[in-house]
């Protein structure tokens, strides 16, 4: 070639070669640069990345432009009809470069105006699309009515990922991309709309789900250079506008993606031959034919317009949730975890320790050999998620493990590989180290695909780090995602426990009341050996399975769970069994925090995260969250209890009598009257108007709602009405007759539809019809008594407690203590008792559900001196006195104990009471509720330790007399139609 001859306009480069050039270009030009000294060389080499010679295309440096009223200007690089480039020194304002370049464009000859405008400071790039009509006029830009579209904005080290945006440099077709800084939920919504459009054509079920996963893979692949630039989009765009041939085109493409080069037909059209062989089974199955129309084609094209190159792992869960029916979501308990919450699991489970070990090795003499051994160990780790859903946990764990591997490789090789080494020779961590179990096929498909796509993402990062292109296509290794019921499968058949290192995940959140028949059968299968396992949430099944799986191993586990498994009755059932039979030890815990996820319909739950194993851990971590959700962490060697606090493994179980020498607590009246004895004020007035003599038998009726909010209700109590008086009151007799009919199942409850008539009919209820004036459970007071509402909001600092007189009847929705004194009121109204309640009691949604047998009967009361008792009584009376004037003016207890409306005087009185109660336990002040609870548990163990193990409960006596000590009403009680005060809790639901 003569010195004056030009090289070819375009050097034929493969996509991989261009990526390699881009990576090398980015490494060479990293660091500060000056425009005047380096811009020309920089742009020459930039064109070379694409196999393009700047001279051959007449792209000019320092092109002169005559600007009206401003004199001559010079464009850094001008390619007529194609491109204008304005360079600035590193760190300068790109907005200034953009404005300057656009100013030049306005004064160019209309025929030479470029479509593309690039502003750069060597380290950053901003590419603008001026539009295909830019050569016609600039009136829209000049008037400020139209702005160029920002096609791409990125940094130098991202160039290899953005090459498709510069397809115009190679004279290749370039679509106008609607760029997104992140693939977000709008893209998910597009896929969901595509799903709905296709489903409306009759294409659904398994085939539609697999089709969507394939589309997702193709969208990602063409935006990340697994496929040629815009190749998938062009297949869709070049189909007929009515969509009539698009189904055939996609079927042929999917077939080609599953064919290796040696078996592909030589007659394969070029647009399909350009696609690589993918393998991995994703395109192996032959799907049914889809009859596309213009509507479905437009939905698919809309998906193609998004930039999927920076896809987030959390999108897969959101995608799944976006296309599932809401009812199906609730049934499966599907809640998709945000990446933040995933990191709360995997960081303390294994990532923090591996990073700490790596940091230590970096500082070790002769570190290369030690790092190589560490690197080898990373490639042997095995991870199992037995409720993997769409694979979010596996994806993030894999990405972070590969990120750590990259740091190790960089430390070993210093960012430079010997010529005889390929990246594939040194990368060892792969997707086949990850295992999952998922009950549904669609999310299992997404999990597998997500890991492959994440593998490509991290391979791109390795390519950048070493300046060489690296991709794993065709797919050789695959994750193991087994479709099946995790509570029925043998986990060893998925991954032998001897090969597993870490077990983690987010099992379904399904409360005991919402479990299907099949799910209850699952719980019977895995948890049947645990006493009262019917109380457990579905998530507990994974704890039982995990405990058996990890027995005798060093496997470390962590699950996200509803906070119900660390409070209330479930603690004793679940952890009592796991601690006794499997010697499980808790390694770390995240105390209750509000759930956040990436899905559009966010799950409104509160969760905990528990890390555990069959072996103890030298260091324990406990994460706590304040009211704003901000976390704090404490570390130490002390044991973590199942209540997620420092303490022993003691669990609180139901107790029939109080632990300490205090009065027994019972429940109020349970009429089982269908509402026919209960009246609103208006109903009562109308009844008394008709039957004045009934006035003497009406009493105020108080349940938790009435007690807290001051609602007025009345009860017609005829249980002690002489028969001769009752016979004189026909309206009252009519009520008695209605109650009898209701108990026999002949009529529904008042105000209910007929369909509810048979809801609660059992033999005991029918027998109650023989004494229709009496209640099932009765508490007819003779003196004042203490009242505690059964349910109270967790937002209140204190559960509102108070005294009522004998003229008021209470329902079974409150707890009652007839022998209470101001001392008992004071202790139960204190922060000390509230701290115990918050940890030990169960919840109704997130509200406290005060349990007699679990909370009250196990509470370790103080043993105060006379002076301490007097101080508590005085402070308790001050609380009652502070409330009295507000109650007299019509305020309710709910008003007074609203955290935002609580009167200052009442709050101050409670704080004085808190100090008095605290001092009755110990002289040193308590600094937090957690410290209070830890102290109370230690006291509980001290008090309960001398007590002999509980003897088996004797069989209930069959005497007909009411038994004050009976746990629930006996058959004799039912026969006599009533029981007196002394029932310790509500009888079981009928």
């Amino acid at each position: 070639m003569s010195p004056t001859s030009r090289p070819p306009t375009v050097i034929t480069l493969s996509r991989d070669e261009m990526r390699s050039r881009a990576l090398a270009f980015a490494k060479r030009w990293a660091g500060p640069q000056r425009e005047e000294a380096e811009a020309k060389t920089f742009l020459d080499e930039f064109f070379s990345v694409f196999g393009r010679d700047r001279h051959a295309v007449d792209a000019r440096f320092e092109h002169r432009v005559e600007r009206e009223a401003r004199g001559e200007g010079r464009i850094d690089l001008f390619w007529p009809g194609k491109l204008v480039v304005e360079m600035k020194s590193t760190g300068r304002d790109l907005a200034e470069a953009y404005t300057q370049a656009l100013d030049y464009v306005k004064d160019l000859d209309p025929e030479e105006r470029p479509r593309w405008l690039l502003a750069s400071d060597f380290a950053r790039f901003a590419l603008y699309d001026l539009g295909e009509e830019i050569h016609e006029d600039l009136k829209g830009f000049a008037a400020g009515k139209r702005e160029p579209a920002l096609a791409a904005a990125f940094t130098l080290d991202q160039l290899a990922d953005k090459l498709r945006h510069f397809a115009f440099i190679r004279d290749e077709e370039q679509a106008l991309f609607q760029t997104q800084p992140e693939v977000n939920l709008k893209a998910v919504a597009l896929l969901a709309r595509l799903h709905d459009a296709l489903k409306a054509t009759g294409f659904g079920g398994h085939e539609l789900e697999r089709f969507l996963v394939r589309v997702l893979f193709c969208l990602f692949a063409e935006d990340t250079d697994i496929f040629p630039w815009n190749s998938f989009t062009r297949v869709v765009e070049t189909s007929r506008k009515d969509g009539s041939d698009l189904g055939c085109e996609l079927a042929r493409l999917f077939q080609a993606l599953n064919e290796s080069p040696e078996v592909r037909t030589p007659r394969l059209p070029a647009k399909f031959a350009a696609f690589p062989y993918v393998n991995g089974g994703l395109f192996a199955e032959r799907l049914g034919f889809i009859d596309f129309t213009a509507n479905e084609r437009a939905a698919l094209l809309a998906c193609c317009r998004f930039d999927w190159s920076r896809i987030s792992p959390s999108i897969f869960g959101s995608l799944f949730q976006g296309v599932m029916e809401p009812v199906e979501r609730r049934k499966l308990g599907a809640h998709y975890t945000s990446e933040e919450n995933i990191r709360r699991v995997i960081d303390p489970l294994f990532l923090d320790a591996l990073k700490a070990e790596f940091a230590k090795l970096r500082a070790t003499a002769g570190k290369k050999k030690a790092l190589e051994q560490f690197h080898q160990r990373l490639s042997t780790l095995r991870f199992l998620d037995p409720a993997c859903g769409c694979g979010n946990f596996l994806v993030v764990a894999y990405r972070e493990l590969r990120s750590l591997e990259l740091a190790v490789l960089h430390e070993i090789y210093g960012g430079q590989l010997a010529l005889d080494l390929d990246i594939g020779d040194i990368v060892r961590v792969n997707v086949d180290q990850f295992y999952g179990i998922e009950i549904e096929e669609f999310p299992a498909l997404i999990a597998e695909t997500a890991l492959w796509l994440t593998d490509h993402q991290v391979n791109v990062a390795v390519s950048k780090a070493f300046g060489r292109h690296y991709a794993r296509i065709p797919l050789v290794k695959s994750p193991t995602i087994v479709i099946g019921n995790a509570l029925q499968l043998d986990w060893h058949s998925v991954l032998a426990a001897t090969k597993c290192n870490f077990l983690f995940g987010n099992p379904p959140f399904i409360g005991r009341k919402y479990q299907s028949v099949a799910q209850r059968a699952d719980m019977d299968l895995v948890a049947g050996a645990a006493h009262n396992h019917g109380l457990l949430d579905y998530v507990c099944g994974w704890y039982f399975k995990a405990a058996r799986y990890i027995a005798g191993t060093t496997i470390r586990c962590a699950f996200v769970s509803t906070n119900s498994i660390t409070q209330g009755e479930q603690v004793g059932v679940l952890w009592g069994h796991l601690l006794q039979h499997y010697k499980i030890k808790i390694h770390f815990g995240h105390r209750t925090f509000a759930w956040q996820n990436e899905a559009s319909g966010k799950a409104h739950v509160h969760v905990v995260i528990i890390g555990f194993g069959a072996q103890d851990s030298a260091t324990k971590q406990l994460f706590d969250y304040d009211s704003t959700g901000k976390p704090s962490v404490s570390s130490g060697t002390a044991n973590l209890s199942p209540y997620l606090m420092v303490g022993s493994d003691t669990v609180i179980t139901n107790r029939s009598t109080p632990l300490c020498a205090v009065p027994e607590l019972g429940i109020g009246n349970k009429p089982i009257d269908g509402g026919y004895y209960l009246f609103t004020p208006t109903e009562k007035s109308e009844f008394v108007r008709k039957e004045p003599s009934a006035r003497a038998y009406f009493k105020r009726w108080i349940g938790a709602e009435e007690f807290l909010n001051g609602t007025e209700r009345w009860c017609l109590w005829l249980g002690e009405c002489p028969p001769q008086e009752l016979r004189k009151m026909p309206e009252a007799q009519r009520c008695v007759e209605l109650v009898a009919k209701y108990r026999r199942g002949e009529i529904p409850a008042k105000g209910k539809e007929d369909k509810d008539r048979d809801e609660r009919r059992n033999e005991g209820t029918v027998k109650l019809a023989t004494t229709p004036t009496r209640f099932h459970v009765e508490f007819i007071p003779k003196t004042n008594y203490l009242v505690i509402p059964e349910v109270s909001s967790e937002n209140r600092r204190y559960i509102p407690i108070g005294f009522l007189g004998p003229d008021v009847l209470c329902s079974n929705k409150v707890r009652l203590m007839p022998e209470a004194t101001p001392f008992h009121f004071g202790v139960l109204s204190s922060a000390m008792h509230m701290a115990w309640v918050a940890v030990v009691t169960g919840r109704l949604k997130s509200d406290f559900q005060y349990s007699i047998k679990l909370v009250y009967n196990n509470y370790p009361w103080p043993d105060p001196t006379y002076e301490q008792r007097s101080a508590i009584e005085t402070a308790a009376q001050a609380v009652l006195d502070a409330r009295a004037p507000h109650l007299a003016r019509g305020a309710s207890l709910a008003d007074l104990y609203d955290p935002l409306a609580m009167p200052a005087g009442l709050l101050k009185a409670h704080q004085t009471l808190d100090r008095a109660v605290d001092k009755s336990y110990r002289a040193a002040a308590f600094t937090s509720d957690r410290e209070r609870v830890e102290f109370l548990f230690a006291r509980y163990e001290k008090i309960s330790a001398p007590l002999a193990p509980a003897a088996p409960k004797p069989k209930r006596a069959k005497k007909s007399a009411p038994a004050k000590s009976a746990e629930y009403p006996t058959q004799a009680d039912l026969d006599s139609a009533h029981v007196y005060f002394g029932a310790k809790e509500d009888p079981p639901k009928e």
Side-chain angles (χ1 to χ4, degrees):
M1 184 183 294
S2 67
T4 57
S5 64
R6 299 280 187 186
T9 301
V10 179
I11 300 174
T12 302
L13 294 180
S14 70
R15 178 169 39 86
D16 289 350
E17 287 174 317
M18 281 185 282
R19 283 189 59 82
S20 294
R21 288 191 178 200
L23 291 166
F25 176 81
K27 287 183 73 71
R28 167 169 160 69
W29 288 97
Q33 309 292 341
R34 291 175 56 245
E35 176 192 355
E36 297 82 1
E38 304 292 353
K40 293 181 180 180
T41 306
F42 179 83
L43 290 172
D44 276 338
E45 292 187 12
F46 179 76
F47 271 76
S48 180
V49 166
F50 302 92
R52 200 70 148 162
D53 186 321
R54 176 185 61 80
H55 301 89
V57 299
D58 196 26
R60 315 159 191 170
F61 286 133
E62 299 296 325
H63 180 74
R64 291 187 176 91
V65 181
E66 285 295 332
R67 299 176 296 180
E68 293 183 13
R70 284 164 295 173
E72 182 182 272
R74 291 179 180 249
I75 302 175
D76 288 341
L77 183 140
F78 174 53
W79 182 359
K82 280 277 192 178
L83 174 68
V84 61
V85 180
E86 184 62 32
M87 298 293 299
K88 295 295 179 185
S89 297
T90 305
R92 291 283 299 276
D93 187 1
L94 287 190
E96 178 186 342
Y98 158 74
T99 303
Q100 185 176 338
L102 188 59
D103 190 43
Y104 290 143
V105 170
K106 293 173 183 177
D107 291 300
L108 288 171
D109 185 289
E111 294 301 319
E112 292 188 328
R113 287 171 185 160
R115 176 175 176 178
W116 303 94
L117 186 160
L118 177 64
S120 176
D121 70 344
F122 296 89
R124 296 172 296 158
F125 297 81
L127 178 67
Y128 295 86
D129 186 351
L130 304 179
E132 293 179 347
E133 296 78 25
I134 189 67
H135 61 278
E136 296 178 3
D137 67 78
L138 279 171
K139 291 181 180 179
F141 289 119
K145 296 179 180 178
R146 189 159 69 90
E147 287 290 331
L150 178 63
F154 55 92
T155 56
L156 176 63
D157 65 343
Q158 295 173 321
L159 174 62
D161 301 328
K162 302 296 181 180
L163 297 180
R164 68 190 180 284
H165 292 290
F166 297 96
F168 64 86
I169 293 180
R170 293 170 55 86
D171 291 328
E172 294 182 1
E173 178 185 352
Q174 170 70 18
L176 176 60
F177 277 80
Q178 298 176 10
T179 62
Q180 302 289 329
E182 292 278 347
V183 175
N184 51 32
L185 294 183
K186 291 182 180 178
V188 176
L190 283 175
L191 283 169
R193 286 203 294 272
L194 174 62
H195 165 275
D196 294 342
L198 293 173
K199 191 173 182 180
T201 69
F203 186 74
H206 161 82
E207 291 191 324
L208 174 56
E209 292 167 354
R210 186 167 282 274
F211 175 81
L212 283 174
V213 175
R214 289 179 180 181
V215 167
L216 179 61
F217 183 90
C218 291
L219 291 169
F220 178 86
E222 73 167 356
D223 283 352
T224 57
D225 293 333
I226 298 175
F227 293 171
W229 297 335
N230 306 325
S231 53
F232 180 72
T233 298
R234 278 197 290 271
V235 169
V236 181
E237 285 181 331
T238 56
S239 65
R240 294 173 188 154
K241 291 186 178 180
D242 64 1
S244 59
D245 64 339
L246 183 53
C248 292
E249 294 284 277
L250 292 177
R252 189 67 189 91
L253 170 61
F254 294 160
Q255 181 181 340
L257 291 170
N258 194 52
E259 294 175 338
S260 59
E262 58 270 17
V263 302
R264 284 185 177 180
T265 172
R267 297 181 180 179
L268 187 66
K271 62 181 176 181
F272 299 132
F275 286 86
Y277 170 45
V278 173
N279 199 14
L282 180 59
F283 296 96
E285 182 182 351
R286 187 179 294 273
L287 301 181
F289 184 79
I290 306 177
D291 287 314
F292 274 86
T293 67
N295 180 52
E296 294 84 55
R297 179 179 180 272
L300 181 54
L301 272 176
C303 296
C304 294
R305 299 303 184 192
F306 274 80
D307 180 0
W308 295 80
S309 62
R310 297 182 64 192
I311 192 168
S312 167
S314 61
I315 190 176
F316 299 111
S318 299
L319 167 65
F320 185 27
Q321 193 163 11
V323 300
M324 286 179 68
E325 296 295 332
V327 173
E328 192 71 11
R329 281 205 305 274
R330 175 61 181 269
K331 185 172 71 176
L332 295 174
H335 299 288
Y336 296 96
T337 319
S338 68
E339 185 166 325
E340 179 186 17
N341 285 342
I342 294 172
R343 294 297 298 270
R344 287 172 174 171
V345 173
I346 69 173
D347 284 5
L349 180 63
F350 66 87
L351 199 55
D352 288 343
L354 290 176
K355 288 181 177 179
E357 184 177 353
F358 171 55
K360 186 176 180 180
L361 291 176
R362 292 176 67 181
T364 304
K367 61 183 179 182
K368 184 174 181 180
K369 183 177 181 180
L371 285 171
E372 288 173 344
Q373 292 174 342
F374 178 68
H375 182 207
Q376 176 61 26
R377 186 158 65 85
L378 291 183
S379 69
T380 65
L381 298 177
R382 295 293 182 269
F383 304 80
L384 171 62
D385 182 346
C388 71
C390 294
N392 288 3
F393 277 85
L394 297 173
V395 163
V396 176
Y398 178 59
R399 187 195 67 202
E400 294 305 310
L401 194 66
R402 285 292 304 273
S403 177
L404 178 59
E405 181 191 38
L406 179 55
V408 173
L409 292 174
H410 196 277
E411 192 69 24
I412 294 174
Y413 297 100
Q416 297 293 332
L417 290 182
L419 293 177
D420 60 341
L421 272 182
D422 288 330
I423 293 178
D425 297 328
I426 64 171
V427 173
R428 296 176 184 169
V429 177
N430 212 324
V431 292
D432 62 343
Q433 297 172 231
F434 290 79
Y435 299 74
I437 303 173
E438 168 53 36
I439 196 169
E440 294 291 308
E441 181 184 26
F442 187 28
L445 289 173
I446 295 176
E448 187 177 43
T449 307
L451 281 161
W452 280 327
L453 300 186
T454 304
D455 182 61
H456 182 72
Q457 276 186 318
V458 293
N459 289 336
V460 168
V462 176
S463 299
K464 291 178 183 178
F466 289 97
R468 298 187 192 177
H469 177 61
Y470 174 59
R472 283 172 171 163
I473 292 291
L475 303 171
V476 176
K477 295 185 176 181
S478 300
T480 301
I481 309 296
V482 175
I483 300 171
N485 185 327
L487 296 188
Q488 296 178 12
L489 274 176
D490 179 3
W491 294 2
H492 295 276
S493 68
V494 180
L495 175 63
T498 53
K499 296 181 179 179
C500 182
N501 300 97
F502 301 103
L503 179 71
F504 53 76
N506 172 27
F509 298 170
I510 303 175
R512 58 185 177 183
K513 295 180 180 179
Y514 300 103
Q515 293 169 24
S516 66
V517 172
Q519 288 163 344
R520 291 183 186 276
D522 288 342
M523 291 299 291
D524 290 341
L525 177 67
V526 300
H531 181 62
N532 282 338
H533 71 275
L535 297 171
L536 297 175
D537 291 346
Y538 197 49
V539 68
C540 296
W542 275 257
Y543 283 85
F544 282 96
K545 289 280 286 189
R548 296 189 185 100
Y549 180 73
I550 69 175
T553 73
T554 58
I555 298 172
R556 290 173 62 91
C557 312
F559 289 139
V560 181
S561 312
T562 45
N563 61 357
S564 55
I565 71 167
T566 61
Q567 59 196 18
E569 291 178 298
Q570 294 197 56
V571 178
V573 178
L574 171 64
W575 293 102
H577 189 84
L578 297 185
L579 293 167
Q580 179 181 355
H581 295 280
Y582 298 101
K583 311 304 179 186
I584 294 299
K585 301 300 293 184
I586 295 177
H587 300 162
F588 70 89
H590 287 259
R591 291 166 62 83
T592 299
F593 62 94
W595 182 261
Q596 298 291 334
N597 65 28
E598 300 291 344
S600 56
K602 294 193 173 183
H604 299 289
V605 294
H606 289 78
V607 303
V608 294
I609 298 171
I610 302 177
F612 61 97
Q615 310 288 333
D616 205 356
S617 175
T619 302
K620 317 292 197 310
Q621 288 180 295
L622 194 56
F623 298 82
D624 218 337
Y625 296 83
D626 63 19
S627 58
T628 66
K630 182 179 179 181
S632 60
V633 60
S634 56
S635 301
T637 59
N639 189 71
L640 295 182
S641 83
Y643 297 93
L644 293 189
M645 63 183 186
V646 173
S648 73
D649 290 332
T650 298
V651 294
I652 307 297
T653 57
N654 285 338
R655 185 183 184 89
S656 58
T657 58
L659 175 70
C660 301
V662 291
E664 292 192 10
L665 197 65
I667 63 171
N669 297 279
K670 187 171 186 180
I672 307 189
D673 67 334
Y676 293 106
Y677 285 146
L678 302 180
F679 296 79
T680 65
T682 302
E683 291 170 339
K684 177 208 168 192
S685 296
E686 178 62 19
F687 192 94
V688 170
R689 185 185 66 78
K690 294 179 181 178
E691 198 156 79
S693 57
R695 183 186 301 275
Y697 296 97
F698 273 99
K699 289 180 176 286
R700 279 291 299 271
W701 180 256
I702 298 292
E705 164 69 21
E706 293 80 10
F707 181 72
L708 292 171
N709 295 294
T711 309
E712 184 179 347
R713 290 180 80 195
W714 293 86
C715 175
L716 181 62
W717 166 238
L718 299 169
E720 296 171 349
C721 177
Q724 65 273 22
E725 294 296 325
L726 180 58
R727 286 169 58 83
K728 298 175 183 177
M729 297 185 291
E731 289 295 322
Q733 278 189 302
R734 190 175 70 85
C735 287
V736 175
E737 183 179 357
L738 290 171
V739 171
K741 288 182 177 181
Y742 170 76
R743 290 177 178 179
R744 288 194 297 265
E746 297 171 7
I747 60 173
K750 186 167 68 174
K752 297 289 183 69
E753 299 294 332
D754 285 347
K755 64 183 179 182
D756 291 334
R757 287 177 58 177
D758 298 325
E759 268 189 1
R760 55 180 66 81
R761 297 298 171 262
N762 59 34
E763 184 180 353
T765 301
V766 172
K767 285 185 177 181
L768 285 173
T770 60
T771 53
T773 62
R774 306 306 296 255
F775 294 162
H776 178 205
V777 177
E778 292 179 0
F779 171 64
I780 312 303
K782 304 303 179 184
T783 60
N784 290 350
Y785 54 96
L786 187 70
V787 178
I788 304 174
E790 178 186 36
V791 177
S792 178
S793 170
E794 66 165 347
N795 295 322
R796 298 184 179 116
R797 291 186 179 93
Y798 310 92
I799 295 176
I801 297 174
F803 289 94
L804 293 176
D807 57 331
V808 177
L809 293 184
C810 286
S811 81
N812 59 308
K813 297 301 180 182
V814 295
R815 285 40 177 127
L816 308 175
M817 185 190 295
E819 303 170 33
T821 68
F823 169 74
H824 301 117
F825 169 82
V827 174
L828 295 176
S829 298
S830 69
M832 199 76 175
H833 183 64
M834 280 301 302
W836 176 263
V837 170
V839 170
V840 175
T841 197
R843 304 283 178 123
L844 183 63
K845 297 181 180 178
S846 61
D847 294 338
F848 297 130
Q849 190 167 24
Y850 196 92
S851 167
I852 298 173
K853 292 188 289 184
L854 196 66
V855 177
Y856 179 80
N857 286 350
N858 284 297
Y859 183 64
W861 287 72
D863 185 16
T865 64
Y866 175 80
E867 291 77 10
Q868 291 170 339
R869 188 182 185 96
S870 297
I872 292 173
E873 291 175 342
T874 300
Q877 187 60 51
V879 169
L880 293 171
D881 292 343
R883 298 192 322 199
H886 298 284
L887 295 172
R889 290 194 292 269
S892 68
L893 288 173
D895 296 330
L896 295 181
Y897 285 87
D898 184 311
L900 300 178
M902 192 173 190
L906 178 58
L907 176 59
K908 185 177 180 180
H910 264 288
Q911 290 170 339
T912 301
L913 176 59
D914 291 342
R915 289 190 292 271
V917 173
D918 285 355
K919 286 182 179 179
S920 70
Y921 283 97
R922 74 178 191 191
F926 292 95
T927 60
S928 67
D929 283 343
R930 218 170 93 185
E931 190 177 332
R932 288 186 174 96
V933 174
E934 289 167 2
F935 178 90
L936 287 172
F937 265 83
R939 179 166 174 77
Y940 170 85
E941 290 179 33
K942 184 178 179 181
I943 296 174
S944 60
L947 302 179
K953 290 183 179 178
K955 293 184 178 180
R956 289 173 174 168
K958 295 187 177 181
K959 294 187 293 184
S960 60
K964 185 172 182 179
S965 61
E967 184 177 2
Y968 291 122
T970 64
Q971 186 61 54
D973 296 329
L974 295 175
D975 292 341
S976 65
H978 65 276
V979 293
Y980 293 102
F981 173 77
K984 301 303 188 295
E985 296 273 14
D986 267 340
K989 301 293 183 186
E990 296 169 341

